[in-house]
Amino acid sequence: MEATMTLAVPSNNPGGLDAEISEHFGHCDLFTLIQIQDGAIASVDTVANVEHGAGGCVGPVKLLHNKGVGALVVGGMGARPMQACADVGIAVYRAELLGLKHVKDAAAGLLAGSFALMRPEQTCKGDGNCHHH
């Protein structure tokens, strides 16, 4: 992990460290942005998600890229937004959300190195069987 990095976590309103993690990347209310500096949380901000229109979840990826996000913790996401993240240099970490409820849990897990990078075969296939994306 870089010395300074911005982490994004899909969140339910109102966002922030105590907010619940959203189970749906593309349809989350907002993203909590966590500035990590030297292995610790330096600041926390939120940014409203963009409309999930044509192009699927690529709009939120562009939003996060424009905000300088370097890492994203998700329970799951589709192949298209995952590829879009790769294209702009956002590392996607997959966290089983069953044990995570709040944004602070996702931040702590990332800082502890508990999450692996998401693999293409772990993406949601759009068949309705993927609950967390």
Side-chain angles (χ1 to χ4, degrees), residues 21-122:
I21 298 170
S22 174
E23 295 179 352
H24 196 295
F25 167 75
H27 289 284
C28 68
D29 296 330
L30 49 87
F31 294 94
T32 297
L33 304 180
I34 303 163
Q35 187 70 30
I36 296 174
Q37 193 165 10
D38 298 321
I41 296 173
S43 64
V44 179
D45 199 2
T46 60
V47 61
N49 195 2
V50 295
E51 186 174 329
H52 192 279
C57 296
V58 176
V61 173
K62 290 179 183 176
L63 170 72
L64 296 177
H65 175 65
N66 290 340
K67 293 291 183 181
V69 169
L72 178 64
V73 173
V74 298
M77 70 173 18
R80 191 166 182 195
M82 186 176 163
Q83 182 60 52
C85 284
D87 290 347
V88 297
I90 298 175
V92 179
Y93 292 89
R94 185 170 183 262
E96 293 295 335
L97 296 183
L98 298 176
L100 300 178
K101 184 169 182 170
H102 297 101
V103 171
K104 62 185 167 192
D105 302 326
L110 183 75
L111 288 170
S114 300
F115 309 134
L117 286 170
M118 190 168 175
R119 298 184 314 272
E121 64 270 16
Q122 294 174 312

